[in-house]
């Protein structure tokens, strides 16, 4: 099958997602004295991911980065849970629901030991260490109670799942704050439930920016004015009524830009364990290289189509305010990293990077049973949106009312259920299945700028792939400005990435100009 798909969903999604962050009223900034704004120091939000706070040795590196950064500018720090902790907490919640209290308790004990070990390595014995040790103990006791009630009910509500999985950030923030204070850097742990006001969509909440802005001004600005660095829990927020929510897995990046936009920061830096945004996943493509500068839109496309370095929603809050976002490596802080800016690198036209959703699914809806049913495409996309599935590609063949949606495999089940519900009435007279799934595919996406100006980009990729015996099941290139996607069998994804990376000379294209001409001359 060689379908030709329209790839508009990504672009449409982008417009839709940015909308809530557009300010339709006068910015709150006008309420503040001009003097204060004109004398304000450079403000930078720094976010540290799970591996950056993975143990005491890593946290020491983080402290050094914060200490140096605080000499240059005001800082707001956002932290993730220590690496692996959120996964373990979700496992605890799942085991509790299944009634296995023993397993849940064991995981919690191990996690507690991990945090106690880090605390002891970072802080000398004394009242401060005792205070944080007490806090850690209280948080685990609370979590035990949540797990116990989940086990009794035999049911894990989305709200409870959020509460249990939020523990990691609520532990790491006080740990980093006390470690900083011990090094003489004034800091205070702040729970993001006091700052980030969200809707009530547990597991993938979105912020209400006006309320968030007010809370950040009230809670964080005074700390900044006193020279105290707030250490904020990433990943979590709360509804207006104070019910804890989470922003989705990997959501601490999103927390950082939400706070950056709310405080009108000058810059956001995401500190992680890779050198920046790369031209491809280096585990799959060894010649992948760091991209020095990339536009918001290109970076958002990369994140949307599976690049794990950024949470897909990260850039939405900062786009309108044109706040630059850096991605840098905590473990190689001398490297410049990637700068994400409104326009990217001015001179760049063409393919810039590859990304892949290795675990994807192709959902097909329709056939004779839906013939004559109006607006199948619109209803299918709305059904997917209703369960917050990101549709990576979509196509429609009008002659037989066939709709094909490509989604991440993890979203396939809930999307299929939503589609079955939506079309149940239309299909009720027919026993035949009207929704089917192929979960053995992967999607490769080429991201760049003005791709339509590069001659034969899709043809070149398909030709090269077929030379390497990779069958392209479907392609999608919409208006071809920013992305072109290819569906292949999952087993072929690495070959497909290596081949396309070579064909578009991506390791050469992203080098600085001088070294590029040398490399191309070789
Ligand atoms: N700790 C959360 C997670 O693992 C959020 C994050 O790390 O950004 O998903
Ligand atoms: Mg992360």
């Amino acid at each position: 099958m060689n379908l030709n798909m329209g790839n508009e969903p990504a672009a449409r999604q982008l417009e839709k997602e940015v909308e809530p962050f557009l300010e339709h009223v006068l910015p709150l900034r006008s309420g503040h004295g001009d003097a204060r704004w004109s004398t304000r120091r450079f403000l930078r939000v720094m976010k540290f991911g799970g591996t950056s706070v993975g143990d005491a040795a890593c946290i020491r590196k983080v402290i050094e980065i914060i200490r140096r950064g605080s000499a240059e500018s005001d800082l707001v720090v956002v932290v993730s849970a220590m690496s692996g902790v959120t996964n373990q907490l979700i496992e605890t919640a799942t085991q509790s629901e299944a009634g296995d209290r023993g397993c849940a308790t064991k995981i919690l004990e191990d996690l507690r030991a991990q945090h106690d070990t880090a605390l002891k390595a970072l802080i000398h014995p004394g009242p401060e260490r005792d205070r944080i040790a007490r806090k850690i103990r209280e948080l685990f006791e609370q979590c035990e109670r949540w797990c116990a009630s989940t086990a009794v009910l035999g049911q894990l509500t989305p709200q409870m799942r959020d509460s249990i999985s939020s523990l990691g950030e609520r532990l790491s923030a006080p740990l980093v704050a006390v470690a900083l204070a011990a090094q003489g850097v004034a800091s205070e742990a702040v729970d993001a439930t006091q700052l980030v006001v969200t809707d009530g969509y547990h597991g993938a909440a979105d912020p209400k920016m006006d309320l968030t802005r007010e809370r950040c001004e009230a809670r964080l600005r005074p700390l900044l004015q006193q020279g105290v660095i707030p250490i904020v829990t990433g990943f979590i927020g709360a509804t207006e009524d104070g019910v804890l929510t989470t922003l989705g897995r990997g959501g601490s990046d999103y927390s950082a830009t939400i706070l950056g936009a709310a405080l009108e920061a000058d810059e956001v830096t995401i500190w992680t364990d890779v050198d920046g945004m790369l031209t491809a996943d280096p585990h799959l493509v060894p010649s992948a290289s760091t991209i020095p500068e990339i536009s918001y839109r290109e970076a958002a496309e990369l994140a949307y189509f599976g690049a794990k370095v950024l949470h897909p929603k990260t850039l939405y809050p900062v786009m309108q305010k044109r706040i630059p976002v850096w991605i840098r490596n905590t473990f190689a802080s001398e490297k410049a990293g990637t700068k994400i800016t409104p326009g990217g690198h001015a001179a760049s036209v063409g393919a810039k990077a590859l990304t892949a959703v290795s675990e994807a699914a192709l959902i097909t809806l329709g056939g004779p049973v839906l013939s004559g049913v109006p607006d199948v495409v619109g209803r299918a996309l709305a059904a997917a949106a209703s369960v917050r599935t990101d549709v990576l590609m979509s196509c429609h063949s009008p002659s037989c009312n066939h709709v094909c949606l490509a989604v991440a495999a993890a979203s396939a089940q809930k999307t299929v259920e939503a589609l079955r519900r939506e079309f149940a009435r239309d299909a009720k007279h027919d026993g035949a299945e009207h929704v089917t799934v192929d979960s053995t595919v992967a999607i490769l996406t080429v991201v760049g700028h003005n791709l339509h100006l590069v001659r034969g980009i899709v043809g070149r990729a398909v030709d090269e792939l077929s030379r390497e015996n990779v069958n392209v099941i479907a392609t999608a290139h919409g208006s071809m400005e920013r992305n072109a996607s290819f569906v292949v069998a999952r087993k072929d994804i690495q070959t497909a990435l290596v081949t396309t990376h070579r064909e578009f000379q991506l390791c050469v294209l992203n080098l600085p100009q001088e070294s590029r001409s040398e490399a191309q001359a070789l």
Side-chain angles (χ1 to χ4, degrees), residues 200-429:
Y201 201 99
H202 287 285
D206 279 311
K208 298 188 171 177
M209 284 309 283
D210 286 347
L211 292 169
T212 301
R213 217 171 282 130
E214 279 172 26
R215 301 247 179 125
C216 287
E217 281 301 330
R219 180 77 175 91
L220 298 183
R221 194 70 75 187
L223 291 179
L224 293 173
Q225 281 162 349
Q226 291 157 30
V228 175
I229 303 177
I231 313 293
V232 182
T233 57
F235 184 49
I236 62 183
T239 63
E240 263 184 274
D241 305 331
V243 178
L244 186 144
T245 52
T246 64
L247 308 176
R249 294 307 308 274
S252 300
D253 297 337
Y254 194 26
S255 306
T257 51
I258 291 168
L259 295 183
L263 290 166
E264 311 216 345
D266 298 287
E267 220 167 75
V268 175
T269 308
I270 311 275
W271 289 93
T272 179
D273 55 2
V274 291
D275 289 344
M277 290 203 110
L278 301 186
T279 52
D281 180 344
H283 298 110
L284 299 175
V285 183
S287 60
S289 61
T290 310
I291 304 168
E293 188 170 341
I294 190 167
S295 71
Y296 284 148
R297 283 182 176 272
E298 289 165 322
E301 298 275 344
L302 280 174
Y304 186 83
F305 286 106
K308 293 198 183 57
V309 66
L310 272 189
H311 185 279
K313 293 179 184 169
T314 307
L315 297 168
Y316 304 148
V318 291
M319 279 180 162
Q320 191 202 17
K321 298 198 188 298
R322 305 171 73 83
I323 301 170
V325 176
W326 286 88
I327 302 181
R328 298 187 59 186
N329 191 344
T330 301
F331 306 98
S333 59
E334 71 289 354
K335 294 193 177 156
T338 297
K339 187 178 190 184
I340 309 174
T341 55
H345 193 268
S348 66
V349 166
K352 188 162 275 181
L354 303 180
T355 183
V357 178
S358 307
E359 312 257 303
L362 210 48
I363 302 175
T364 309
L365 163 78
V369 57
L370 292 185
S371 62
V373 174
D375 193 25
V376 173
V377 183
R379 285 168 60 196
L381 290 174
S386 74
V387 289
R388 299 212 174 178
T389 291
D390 288 335
V391 175
L392 302 171
M393 296 163 66
S394 71
C395 76
H396 177 217
S397 76
S399 55
C400 55
N401 236 358
H402 232 84
V403 178
C404 219
L405 304 180
V407 303
S411 307
Q413 180 69 24
K414 65 176 182 182
T415 314
V416 166
E417 283 163 13
L419 290 169
R420 289 201 172 124
R421 272 196 305 276
E422 173 63 29
F423 292 98
R425 202 139 9 107
D426 304 289
K428 75 170 182 284
H429 301 303

Side-chain angles (χ1 to χ4, degrees), residues 30-257:
S30 58
H32 301 288
D34 284 341
R36 196 172 97 193
W37 281 95
S38 55
T39 56
R40 186 163 78 88
R41 284 179 87 202
F42 194 89
L43 175 61
R44 186 178 276 128
V45 177
M46 285 188 170
K47 177 258 170 174
F48 294 91
T51 42
S52 300
V53 294
D55 59 23
C58 299
I59 293 177
R60 281 197 199 97
K61 286 196 197 306
V62 166
I63 286 168
E64 196 39 40
I65 292 173
I66 296 175
R67 221 177 41 74
R68 265 187 277 132
S70 67
E72 291 166 12
S73 56
D74 280 347
L75 294 184
V76 170
V77 171
V78 175
V79 289
S80 290
M82 293 170 93
S83 59
V85 168
T86 310
N87 284 342
Q88 292 291 319
L89 289 167
I90 290 172
E91 181 62 18
T92 316
T94 313
Q95 293 300 339
S96 302
E97 183 181 31
D100 192 343
R101 287 295 310 286
C103 178
T105 305
K106 170 83 178 71
I107 300 175
L108 289 181
E109 271 168 14
D110 290 349
L111 288 178
R112 188 168 153 186
Q114 182 183 345
H115 287 85
D116 280 338
T117 306
L119 176 66
K120 287 192 183 127
L122 290 164
I123 310 291
H124 293 301
E128 272 306 89
R129 182 155 119 183
D130 294 346
R131 181 175 68 83
I132 302 300
R134 214 174 318 119
K135 176 147 192 94
I136 292 177
R137 195 176 60 237
E138 282 164 13
L139 284 167
F140 277 104
E141 282 167 4
Q142 187 181 46
C143 195
E144 274 282 352
R145 288 194 294 276
W146 286 332
C147 291
S149 65
T150 302
V152 169
L153 284 174
Q155 197 201 355
L156 179 65
T157 61
Q159 186 177 332
M160 188 56 91
R161 189 184 155 95
D162 272 358
S163 295
I164 294 175
S165 60
S166 76
L167 203 74
E169 277 72 11
R170 297 171 67 210
L171 289 159
S172 62
L175 204 56
V176 172
V178 75
L180 266 171
Q183 296 299 314
V185 183
S187 62
E188 183 176 324
V190 181
D191 201 308
T193 51
Q194 301 171 18
L195 306 174
V196 179
V197 182
T198 70
D199 59 21
Y201 201 99
H202 287 285
D206 279 311
K208 298 188 171 177
M209 284 309 283
D210 286 347
L211 292 169
T212 301
R213 217 171 282 130
E214 279 172 26
R215 301 247 179 125
C216 287
E217 281 301 330
R219 180 77 175 91
L220 298 183
R221 194 70 75 187
L223 291 179
L224 293 173
Q225 281 162 349
Q226 291 157 30
V228 175
I229 303 177
I231 313 293
V232 182
T233 57
F235 184 49
I236 62 183
T239 63
E240 263 184 274
D241 305 331
V243 178
L244 186 144
T245 52
T246 64
L247 308 176
R249 294 307 308 274
S252 300
D253 297 337
Y254 194 26
S255 306
T257 51

